[in-house]
Amino acid sequence: MLKLSEGETYAQERRKILNDEKSLFFGNKLTSSLTTKELMVNEVLMEKKIDELTSSYENSSNFLPSVHFFQAKERIDQSEIFAIIKRIPKGACLHTHLSAAVSVDFIIDNISYRDCLYGGYINDVFKLKFLSDSTQDNRCKWTEIKEMRRNQTAPVFDQWLRQQLTLNVDNPKEIYSNIETVWKKFRNMFSTTYDLFSYRPVFQDCIYQLLQELYDDNIMYAELKGTVLPLYELDGTVYSKKDFFEIFVQTVNKFRTDHPKFKGVRYIHSVPRGVDKETLQTELNVIIEMQKLFSNFIIGLDFVGFEEEGKFLTEFRSEISAAQKHLKFFFHAGETNWFGQTDCNIADAILFNSQRIGHGFAIIKHPILLRLAKERNIPLEICPISNQVLMLNDDPRNHPATYLMATDYPLVICNDDPSAWNASGLSYDWYITFMAMTTKMSGIEVLKQFALNSIFYSSMEEKEKEMMMKEWKEQWDEFLNEILKYY
Ligand SMILES: [Zn+2]
């Protein structure tokens, strides 16, 4: 037998350990079946990834995922990896909040220039509302946006308006001194646009535009989290909850007719996590009733809001249990840096058979929950930009999902509230996850797995999934051809 020197044994052992780790990594199970074409595209991808990483190893400020997204976005737009990711057919987007989803550019350039839009302050929060005249709503003194814009120059006013609709600032670390401050502004933003989105024509146009933005980012299906808005017309008509869903579904159907490749939308009803039990029960009764009427559209329930300030899921145990035979759950849980506190919501999310867990940021602190969730194949919805902007995690290289990626935990990448940080689509979150949370040598197999997971872990019926997968494969093949043609 050939005797190995000490150095050779060491090198062998080292190689074996690193190879074993590689085989555990997210997406690795696809590696052996990659086609020649995929391997050729991977070469293009890896060359660019390693270029970007090498320049970052030399100067870490070149590493865009670790720069605050407000400062990094324009530079990410220039990245060649980002350009490739934008072209990828990304499958589905499974965690997006309806009221912070359509791009802020659309709201400012289109919606805010419409007639009859007014602004005013209620409890120190700026609100936007469509009114037939300023006396129609007496909650505050309303001024027409046209007039506000006339009183300044349009660019100055539009810039000010943008600040009301996004968290973006030049110096986020100074302005947002802690997580409570950033959440306060975040919460106010939803209040600013609540009545704006409730104006029926704007609601429809925003849904349509949102789907267009997802579609333009090569996303063919979405699961949107929202509340039932009290849709209204200028003449004072207010629509019922049933009308809200009818109008919503009609708008989605119109988009599907115009874009036959788009597979549709499902709705996850979101209840603020601070509600009292009575309010929750009323919400549940309504949504269960609506679910019977729109069974193919309304898929389930979630709780939303700042997890530290809400109730623990366990406090709603009896209400959730009773709703279980009607609704599926898609709980946000463990979107926290605390340990032994709100993070324990993950236990409830698992025990209530949540279909997926929103964020699950704290899960790696809980080995038994992590094991249980993996055994039950409950995917986590990872939203890296949201976690950075909402101050859970500064640097995505240290995001807990790096461990989950390294151990092939089922993950889907989501965008959460893209308009709140002046983003749209899903490519930014894919880019950040790919660049910061995978190893230097991770390539196309990871990106392919992101797309496959998004379809597999969606709430589509099995037949729909099969159909979507078939079409996705064709889109993927077109993408491969495009890359080989252009690079
Ligand atoms: Zn969310």
Side-chain angles (χ1 to χ4, degrees):
M1 197 177 126
L2 185 69
K3 201 162 185 308
L4 294 169
S5 72
E6 205 179 309
E8 281 168 320
T9 315
Y10 178 90
Q12 265 188 350
E13 208 173 322
R14 183 178 186 277
R15 198 162 45 241
K16 183 180 180 316
I17 292 168
L18 292 178
N19 272 337
D20 286 351
E21 283 200 339
K22 188 166 176 274
S23 70
L24 286 180
F25 206 85
F26 182 92
N28 190 69
K29 53 185 177 290
L30 297 176
T31 309
S32 60
S33 60
L34 291 178
T35 62
T36 311
K37 210 191 277 185
E38 286 172 327
L39 292 170
M40 283 161 73
V41 170
N42 196 39
E43 268 180 45
V44 176
L45 182 76
M46 291 315 290
E47 194 192 312
K48 298 190 185 309
K49 182 178 185 186
I50 287 171
D51 274 356
E52 262 187 52
L53 286 174
T54 306
S55 103
S56 306
Y57 296 149
E58 287 157 8
N59 176 357
S60 58
S61 28
N62 289 338
F63 190 61
L64 300 178
S66 306
V67 175
H68 194 286
F69 185 70
F70 298 164
Q71 277 108 33
K73 181 181 173 243
E74 279 181 19
R75 292 166 68 194
I76 294 174
D77 287 333
Q78 310 300 319
S79 151
E80 289 195 79
I81 290 286
F82 182 67
I84 293 176
I85 285 176
K86 276 208 292 188
R87 288 172 182 268
I88 295 179
K90 282 175 274 290
C93 186
L94 301 179
H95 177 153
T96 304
H97 298 272
L98 206 48
S99 41
V102 73
S103 66
V104 75
D105 288 341
F106 180 73
I107 298 174
I108 291 177
D109 300 342
N110 182 317
I111 306 291
S112 88
Y113 277 82
R114 296 187 185 189
D115 291 339
C116 302
L117 178 60
Y118 287 76
Y121 285 87
I122 299 177
N123 299 328
D124 292 332
V125 178
F126 182 67
K127 305 267 287 177
L128 290 162
K129 185 169 183 180
F130 282 86
L131 298 165
S132 56
D133 67 64
S134 64
T135 60
Q136 199 184 14
D137 178 341
N138 59 12
R139 287 178 300 165
C140 69
K141 183 180 174 302
W142 296 97
T143 309
E144 200 168 7
I145 293 299
K146 272 188 182 163
E147 191 187 327
M148 291 172 87
R149 192 174 267 125
R150 254 196 320 269
N151 293 339
Q152 305 175 37
T153 61
V156 171
F157 177 78
D158 288 359
Q159 184 53 30
W160 177 85
L161 189 57
R162 185 176 287 273
Q163 285 164 4
Q164 312 311 307
L165 302 176
T166 65
L167 291 165
N168 290 57
V169 286
D170 292 337
N171 45 351
K173 285 186 182 155
E174 287 163 42
I175 300 286
Y176 306 119
S177 52
N178 58 26
I179 198 164
E180 289 81 10
T181 331
V182 76
W183 268 91
K184 184 171 180 231
K185 170 78 194 285
F186 189 47
R187 209 170 20 239
N188 287 349
M189 282 161 36
F190 289 97
S191 182
T192 299
T193 52
Y194 185 80
D195 292 322
L196 175 100
F197 288 135
S198 302
Y199 180 43
R200 194 267 313 154
V202 166
F203 174 73
Q204 288 186 289
D205 290 351
C206 284
I207 297 283
Y208 195 97
Q209 174 67 19
L210 165 63
L211 301 185
Q212 188 68 54
E213 289 171 10
L214 293 175
Y215 188 85
D216 291 345
D217 201 30
N218 292 304
I219 294 156
M220 296 301 151
Y221 170 83
E223 292 182 9
L224 301 173
K225 295 174 188 264
T227 55
V228 180
L229 295 171
L231 298 185
Y232 64 90
E233 303 282 358
L234 283 184
D235 66 7
T237 308
V238 178
Y239 292 96
S240 69
K241 293 177 167 60
K242 179 167 172 266
D243 292 336
F244 166 82
F245 285 110
E246 253 158 28
I247 291 168
F248 196 162
V249 170
Q250 275 167 16
T251 313
V252 172
N253 288 343
K254 161 103 178 58
F255 186 84
R256 288 189 65 185
T257 308
D258 298 344
H259 304 79
K261 281 190 207 163
F262 190 73
K263 294 288 151 226
V265 166
R266 297 281 199 298
Y267 169 88
I268 297 168
H269 187 64
S270 309
V271 178
R273 49 174 79 249
V275 293
D276 57 46
K277 290 187 170 210
E278 241 171 76
T279 314
L280 173 61
Q281 197 52 60
T282 312
E283 287 265 345
L284 288 173
N285 294 344
V286 169
I287 207 64
I288 288 168
E289 195 191 317
M290 289 297 124
Q291 207 271 340
K292 286 175 191 153
L293 299 174
F294 301 91
S295 57
N296 200 30
F297 185 64
I298 302 172
I299 47 170
L301 179 79
D302 190 7
F303 288 94
V304 292
F306 187 24
E307 204 166 331
E308 315 302 352
E309 287 179 356
K311 302 233 167 62
F312 290 109
L313 286 177
T314 186
E315 293 179 59
F316 295 136
R317 205 165 55 229
S318 56
E319 290 78 7
I320 295 174
S321 290
Q324 208 160 13
K325 54 181 176 295
H326 305 284
L327 298 168
K328 289 179 177 169
F329 303 132
F330 299 84
F331 292 144
H332 280 76
E335 186 186 3
T336 180
N337 272 325
W338 293 117
F339 197 5
Q341 177 68 0
T342 29
D343 50 312
C344 297
N345 279 334
I346 298 173
D348 304 283
I350 294 170
L351 291 172
F352 283 124
N353 292 320
S354 202
Q355 302 293 298
R356 302 186 297 265
I357 294 178
H359 300 286
F361 189 86
I363 201 168
I364 63 164
K365 294 170 179 169
H366 292 275
I368 294 180
L369 292 178
L370 183 60
R371 197 190 68 220
L372 269 177
K374 194 166 185 181
E375 279 168 10
R376 296 182 186 189
N377 204 13
I378 303 174
L380 295 191
E381 300 160 347
I382 303 297
C383 315
I385 302 174
S386 168
N387 297 152
Q388 187 193 51
V389 171
L390 295 173
M391 295 174 70
L392 277 190
N393 172 264
D394 241 3
D395 188 336
R397 287 174 296 177
N398 300 326
H399 192 289
T402 49
Y403 174 74
L404 302 173
M405 299 282 306
T407 50
D408 196 17
Y409 187 91
L411 301 175
V412 288
I413 309 303
C414 304
N415 60 4
D416 213 9
D417 306 274
S419 79
W421 32 91
N422 190 26
S424 66
L426 196 48
S427 290
Y428 292 103
D429 287 281
W430 272 50
Y431 169 81
I432 283 166
T433 313
F434 182 59
M435 293 305 288
M437 303 192 201
T438 71
T439 80
K440 182 181 177 184
M441 299 317 293
S442 301
I444 198 168
E445 73 286 358
V446 166
L447 299 173
K448 190 175 179 185
Q449 191 75 62
F450 285 159
L452 294 176
N453 279 7
S454 78
I455 300 171
F456 183 78
Y457 290 110
S458 74
S459 302
M460 282 184 280
E461 308 283 338
E462 284 312 309
K463 274 219 163 90
E464 288 176 285
K465 282 188 194 175
E466 272 170 39
M467 178 66 86
M468 180 155 174
M469 198 63 94
K470 190 169 160 277
E471 289 180 28
W472 177 84
K473 280 181 184 156
E474 290 164 15
Q475 292 157 11
W476 177 252
D477 196 51
E478 279 168 33
F479 154 74
L480 298 172
N481 291 339
E482 249 181 60
I483 297 297
L484 293 176
K485 194 168 140 200
Y486 287 111
Y487 292 93

